[in-house]
Amino acid sequence: MLFWGCLMVANNIFRLAMILSSGQAQNFQTNLRKLVKLVLYDNFEIPIKLTQIQAIIEEQYSLAFSDLELLSAIKKDSDNIIINTCTDPVNNTYQLQPEAFKKIQEKQTVNIDEYISMFLASEESEDSWEFETVKELVYKFLYFSFNSDTKTVLELMNRKTSETKSYCVSDEFTPDEAKIINAFLNWNYLPKNEFVLNLISSCFDYCMLTVKKDTSSFSSIFNGKEFYLDSNIIFRLAGFNKVERQVSIDAFIRKCVDSGIKICYTNHTYAETKSTIKYYVDGLKKLLGKKEPLSREAMQALSSKYANLDFHDEYIKWCKIPTSVVGDFDSFRKYLERIVSGLLSPFKLVVADNYDTHSNCKRFTGLCDDFTEYKSKHYKNTYEGAIKVDINNYLYILEKASANDATDFMQLKYYFITADHCLTEWAAIQRPGVVPMFVLPSVWYSILLKYKGRTAEDYAAFCQFLNIRIAPERDTQLAQKRAMLAYIIELNEDHEIKEQIIFDIRERLSDPQVTVEDPIAFVEESHETIIQSRVAEVRAESDARHSKQMKDALDEAEEKHRLEREQDELGNAQKIQSAKEESFTSGQDDIIKKQAQGIVKRHKGILITFWGIVGLGILIFLATFILSYFVGDKEISIEIIKWLDENSKAIKVISGSGSALFTVIGIILRLTKVLSTNEDYIIKKLNNKYNRK
């Protein structure tokens, strides 16, 4: 945790950084005027002397300037600074103009606390992290990063510093603290990224003030430079060491190429990339054999917390390629080597000597031993092959620099870019007081961004560079975990059961009281638990399936019974309806027959009446004629007979007309059957009539 005094120093650094980064000033005088105005801003209401300005700058910012340098800067900014003259110039006092005060006040709003609050509200944060804790950690980290980069840049300028400590930022924080800082740095918020970059890269402006030179003096520093990449940079660039690291390294390399810097790598580094690939592929082969790879989560559960599983992830992706064969690790190794070779194709391969075989090999051996001891003290891996590669590269760069005879980083052409903090620190210790040749990419990136354009990608990439490498904590059960993982992979179980066993073991090991005496027995306990669980699941599924089958059978029988009942009910209803219809039909026939008989009877009555009237008329006429002839007036009868005799033709016509009339009436009655006396016809006609209704 930071003490309040240290927090105040950090605040001074942040304020100065924001002032220096504002406007991207390119010369010493401009930056010095900014610094003087910042001092006058802090003492706005009190006019102060030149000696006081000198003392405040040295006390707060560890910078020393002569009277003439300060006076020259002040006189060139008379529009913003009030000079209260006295007879003795030594007693002159200085104040800031109110308008200048307001301008600086607007730029003094440092939003880092606001950024921290926003970060704690984001998904990248954890609920247990408190504002004050995170604030102190972030302030401390930025303070150390600024000072570390300042020291490195001053050394690049071949400027000796009073600071003798070689900063290793990761040594200043516990793994839990580093986790919080890395989460803040990786939180992708552009204003925060811009603030962090401006703050750290302003160390370059601070160094310009220290060496009292214009930034433009170093505008040609990139000309003719050659950057040699370490294998850890190459693997990051290939994406074998976290995707976010690939993005940041790719942005850095592209910025170097755009600036005219030649990117190189030695034969030692290239050989190391191949041996590293072989090492990890052989490890996968030994562990997995012909078995399918487990998920990353399962592998992580029984591996070191900081184990490199990137090659395992690449193997999973490779196995999904249609032409790949699970277990063909030679093909997988060649696949990775092709990726690296293709990646390095635009860069220059430089063949360096193998200093291990030189006549002066004792020096080589001594450097290897010294570097191994240094890495051991910092809890780093000390693989002999990697140590020899680093020393070969160290001696090669040293040899190139000696031939170059450079005195500062403008003249020095050759640099080795590595992500290995131990290597940069050890190399600086080996050659104190000279321009460092083994440099972290973040240092050169901040210098590049001072002269070249900045993008949102650059801000995010720079924050990624600042991530603290968390030193692995000692896992007392790591050997047992590895033995258990190897045993589980060989089990004759499917992929899913293996992972369930691993997750069960992970849960058991989360209890700090649990220890693993016998790894195989420990696995078998979880194995038995998972198998019993699966058996119970299968039994439950079987019971559920049986219950469902029984229920389906009962439902089917019930449905069948229901359908049969409905069929019976439907049959009965149809019978009843049929009986009703039959009864109705029978009754209807009787009614129609009786009605038809009535109609026939009525028709007969009408016909009898009609023909009776006609016959009666004829009889009355004949009777009248006969009576009149024999009893009455004979003359009338004689006249009638005479008329009939004389008009025989007319009588024939009348007789024929009458016959025709009666014939027509008979035909009409027969055709229309209006007065039909045929009972069957009338019944049929009545049935048709009722059916239409």
Side-chain angles (χ1 to χ4, degrees), residues 530-544:
I530 297 302
I531 293 300
Q532 291 298 328
S533 175
R534 288 299 297 270
V535 169
E537 288 176 9
V538 171
R539 184 178 291 117
E541 290 174 1
S542 177
D543 291 344

Side-chain angles (χ1 to χ4, degrees), residues 440-458:
L440 298 173
S442 60
V443 175
W444 269 107
Y445 200 20
S446 64
I447 297 173
L448 281 163
L449 295 177
K450 269 294 172 187
Y451 292 94
K452 304 299 176 180
R454 302 179 180 187
T455 65
E457 181 186 40
D458 289 320

Side-chain angles (χ1 to χ4, degrees), residues 250-295:
D250 182 63
F252 168 68
I253 295 295
R254 282 191 283 109
K255 192 69 70 175
C256 289
V257 173
D258 291 344
S259 302
I261 297 172
K262 184 182 292 184
I263 305 299
C264 309
Y265 61 98
T266 68
N267 54 317
H268 300 298
T269 300
Y270 183 65
E272 185 179 27
T273 62
K274 296 187 71 173
S275 64
T276 301
I277 289 173
K278 185 177 185 305
Y279 170 80
Y280 281 104
V281 171
D282 286 349
L284 288 173
K285 181 179 181 180
K286 182 179 179 181
L287 181 65
L288 298 175
K290 299 292 184 180
K291 307 290 185 180
E292 286 189 20
L294 301 174
S295 68

Side-chain angles (χ1 to χ4, degrees), residues 11 82 178 224 377 442 470 506 515 544 587 638:
N11 266 319
I82 301 171
K377 289 180 180 178
S442 60
I470 302 174
R506 179 180 64 183
T515 57
I638 292 170

Side-chain angles (χ1 to χ4, degrees), residues 175 304-306 379 471-481:
S304 167
K305 184 178 179 181
Y306 305 102
Y379 310 104
E473 297 173 331
R474 180 173 174 76
D475 188 344
T476 57
Q477 301 193 97
L478 183 57
Q480 290 91 329
K481 287 181 180 179

Side-chain angles (χ1 to χ4, degrees), residues 568-611:
D568 291 343
E569 291 174 355
L570 180 61
N572 292 335
Q574 288 175 342
K575 289 178 182 178
I576 293 170
Q577 182 65 26
S578 177
K580 287 181 179 179
E581 290 177 356
E582 185 178 348
S583 175
F584 174 77
T585 302
S586 176
Q588 188 182 43
D589 290 345
D590 291 341
I591 292 170
I592 289 174
K593 186 173 183 180
K594 288 180 181 180
Q595 190 175 1
Q597 289 174 348
I599 291 171
V600 168
K601 186 177 180 181
R602 186 168 62 253
H603 286 180
K604 286 180 178 181
I606 292 171
L607 290 173
I608 290 171
T609 301
F610 175 75
W611 292 115

Side-chain angles (χ1 to χ4, degrees), residues 87-200:
T87 53
D88 185 355
V90 175
N91 295 320
N92 287 354
T93 58
Y94 306 89
Q95 281 181 285
L96 202 60
Q97 292 279 11
E99 293 78 7
F101 176 84
K102 290 180 181 178
K103 288 181 181 179
I104 296 177
Q105 190 176 40
E106 292 172 358
K107 297 175 183 177
Q108 282 295 296
T109 305
V110 178
N111 291 324
I112 188 166
D113 289 356
E114 180 183 341
Y115 299 150
I116 292 171
S117 296
M118 294 173 66
F119 160 69
L120 290 173
S122 70
E123 294 180 356
E124 283 77 5
S125 176
E126 295 184 6
D127 294 338
S128 60
W129 295 349
E130 297 179 354
F131 176 82
E132 288 301 326
T133 301
V134 176
K135 176 182 176 179
E136 291 190 1
L137 287 174
V138 170
Y139 272 56
K140 180 181 178 182
F141 168 77
L142 294 175
Y143 173 75
F144 275 112
S145 297
F146 179 90
N147 281 286
S148 176
D149 281 9
T150 297
K151 181 177 183 296
T152 302
V153 172
L154 286 174
E155 288 173 348
L156 285 170
M157 296 175 180
N158 203 15
R159 175 69 177 242
K160 291 182 172 58
T161 66
S162 58
E163 179 63 69
T164 58
K165 179 181 178 181
S166 180
Y167 285 102
C168 181
V169 178
S170 60
D171 292 343
E172 303 292 335
F173 302 95
T174 67
D176 288 338
E177 290 174 339
K179 179 182 177 183
I180 295 174
I181 294 168
N182 287 346
F184 176 76
L185 292 172
N186 295 335
W187 170 48
N188 193 16
Y189 181 58
L190 181 58
K192 180 272 299 180
N193 294 341
E194 187 175 355
F195 170 83
V196 172
L197 173 56
N198 287 337
L199 172 64
I200 304 300

Side-chain angles (χ1 to χ4, degrees), residues 493-501 527 530-531 534:
E493 299 286 0
D494 63 38
H495 188 272
E496 183 180 351
I497 287 181
K498 289 179 181 179
E499 293 202 351
Q500 287 181 350
I501 293 171
H527 189 188
I530 297 302
I531 293 300
R534 288 299 297 270

